[in-house]
Amino acid sequence: LKEELDSVTEAPLAAAPLEPSRVTPLEDSSDLLGDPAELRARAKRDGYLFFRGLLDPEPVLKLRRAVFGVLDRHGLRVSDADPLSGKLDLARLNAIPAEDLRTDIGVSQQITFEFQRLPELHRLPHHPALVGFYRSFFGEEVFVHPRHMMRAMTPHREGRMTPVHQDFPFIQGSPETWTCWFPVGDCSLELGPLAVLRGSHRAGYLPWEPGFGERHWFDLGTNLCPDETGWVSAAFSIGDVLTFSCFTVHRAIRPTIRDEIRISMDIRYQRASDAIMEGSFVNHSERPWEEIYEGWSAEDADLQYYWEREQMPLVPFNEALMKPGTRRIC
Ligand SMILES: O=C(O)CCC(=O)C(=O)O
């Protein structure tokens, strides 16, 4: 049977793009914020929690302006754009050579580095509304991973949508690590926000499968069974926050707006007493922290190297979790 399955050559089900029309709404759990037991029960059922307006818009807008400052230095936004509009100069964008593009982010290596140098990007993950939520959800002190991801998904000709995957193979460490995802501005369904597969965390770690095409991560993705269609997402407003387990399957929705940038952050939180994988302390631009912090003012010193004060058990990266496994039998 295994040989027969391995010989099936059609593209994996999950390789087809996720259209906005195929998602149903995320359930807002804001009314449960004071009730950690109920939040945990819902998280256990769905593998995600969604909160409308958890963050104040102001610090999110501050980050959006800072990100636009970087894009404007590189001439990537249309010159007569509204100050907060993400309309892009497509000719300038496509002039970024394919080999210089961070396809998991949407802009060049240099722009990724400049985003990572923004103190605002490192300040927002420590916002009291976020840390307070995770502290109550985990029921103990929280550790904020410093490897924050700033996505600036663009319609670059070589760009691609985030494929179907789980975060655990990338993050490893504590299996109770949760991802926090929010757009840095409003994000309609047409701009291609993230969608999660409701309840998919219950399957635990799922093997990678090949056949997704070279525009995906090393041709790999998490394949789906025909009945796994419960994609949920939302038209996000600034301040809305989606959080999900590192086993929850997720992907980006296919954007139908093709001349705007979708800016979002994804951050990881875990219990401060749990183990952590060593790579979680590396900056997402893969550049040394000294280069990230160069020129920062003293008022942002509290954001620097804070993890060195922690004594968390360290675990090495397990390469095997990134290798293709046996095909799922649905
Ligand atoms: O924003 C995206 O498209 C990818 C985000 C993601 O994969 C994550 O939050 O883990």
Side-chain angles (χ1 to χ4, degrees):
L1 176 66
K2 185 179 173 304
E3 265 167 33
E4 252 174 58
L5 284 169
D6 287 346
S7 69
V8 176
T9 51
E10 77 265 27
L13 195 64
L18 179 63
E19 301 298 329
S21 58
R22 279 179 48 212
V23 302
T24 54
L26 289 160
E27 187 170 3
D28 184 2
S29 292
S30 306
D31 57 332
L32 301 183
L33 271 170
D35 189 343
E38 272 303 309
L39 283 173
R40 282 181 214 128
R42 187 168 288 180
K44 193 169 169 197
R45 184 191 72 187
D46 293 338
Y48 81 87
L49 293 168
F50 174 60
F51 303 106
R52 289 267 181 215
L54 182 64
L55 281 167
D56 302 331
E58 197 37 55
V60 188
L61 273 177
K62 195 171 169 197
L63 176 58
R64 187 171 174 89
R65 284 190 209 100
V67 166
F68 282 172
V70 174
L71 294 177
D72 289 347
R73 272 204 302 281
H74 290 266
L76 288 185
R77 285 200 311 151
V78 292
S79 50
D80 57 351
D82 171 287
L84 287 175
S85 143
K87 283 242 183 305
L88 293 169
D89 181 327
L90 295 183
R92 293 292 292 262
L93 175 71
N94 282 316
I96 300 176
E99 56 282 7
D100 192 26
L101 193 76
R102 278 280 301 244
T103 50
D104 60 331
I105 298 179
V107 287
S108 67
Q109 310 273 356
Q110 175 61 25
I111 296 176
T112 300
F113 171 57
E114 290 178 33
F115 286 159
Q116 287 290 336
R117 284 191 27 75
L118 299 170
E120 294 86 348
L121 181 150
H122 297 272
R123 174 73 59 201
L124 199 48
H126 298 269
H127 192 285
L130 293 175
V131 176
F133 157 69
Y134 286 103
R135 190 182 291 127
S136 121
F137 180 58
F138 292 138
E140 63 169 82
E141 213 37 67
V142 172
F143 180 74
V144 185
H145 287 211
R147 187 175 167 82
H148 313 312
M149 302 181 190
M150 159 63 66
R151 319 264 172 188
M153 308 312 284
T154 68
H156 187 282
R157 67 199 142 80
E158 294 294 333
R160 49 131 209 246
M161 288 164 276
T162 303
V164 179
H165 71 284
Q166 298 176 310
D167 281 351
F168 186 70
F170 294 99
I171 302 166
Q172 304 189 14
S174 168
E176 291 190 59
T177 305
W178 276 59
T179 292
C180 175
W181 187 96
F182 56 85
V184 182
D186 294 342
C187 181
S188 63
L189 280 182
E190 292 68 33
L191 208 48
L194 206 68
V196 296
L197 188 64
R198 189 180 42 232
S200 51
H201 64 301
R202 286 189 234 125
Y205 168 74
L206 293 171
W208 293 98
E209 289 187 28
F212 280 71
E214 60 187 23
R215 288 160 76 84
H216 290 271
W217 290 317
F218 327 109
D219 185 42
L220 296 177
T222 305
N223 202 7
L224 299 175
C225 294
D227 61 339
E228 290 173 323
T229 54
W231 291 105
V232 285
S233 187
F236 285 78
S237 298
I238 191 164
D240 295 348
V241 171
L242 168 64
T243 183
F244 50 91
S245 149
C246 57
F247 293 110
T248 303
V249 172
H250 55 286
R251 68 183 310 179
I253 295 174
R254 184 176 76 84
T256 51
I257 296 176
R258 298 303 293 154
D259 61 349
E260 267 186 52
I261 196 161
R262 182 263 267 171
I263 309 167
S264 60
M265 278 200 80
D266 39 289
I267 310 156
R268 273 92 208 157
Y269 296 82
Q270 66 169 85
R271 289 191 182 85
S273 60
D274 279 352
I276 187 163
M277 192 269 293
E278 292 154 342
S280 299
F281 299 129
V282 176
N283 183 269
H284 196 224
S285 68
E286 317 301 339
R287 301 271 282 265
W289 287 106
E290 303 79 72
E291 290 184 21
I292 301 295
Y293 298 148
E294 206 182 303
W296 279 27
S297 73
E299 70 193 32
D300 292 316
D302 59 323
L303 298 173
Q304 301 180 18
Y305 305 108
Y306 63 90
W307 57 94
E308 292 179 354
R309 296 191 291 273
E310 303 286 335
Q311 301 202 323
M312 308 167 80
L314 292 183
V315 292
F317 186 66
N318 179 0
E319 289 280 351
L321 297 180
M322 290 301 292
K323 299 256 163 38
T326 36
R327 193 157 208 184
R328 289 180 72 195
I329 298 180
C330 293

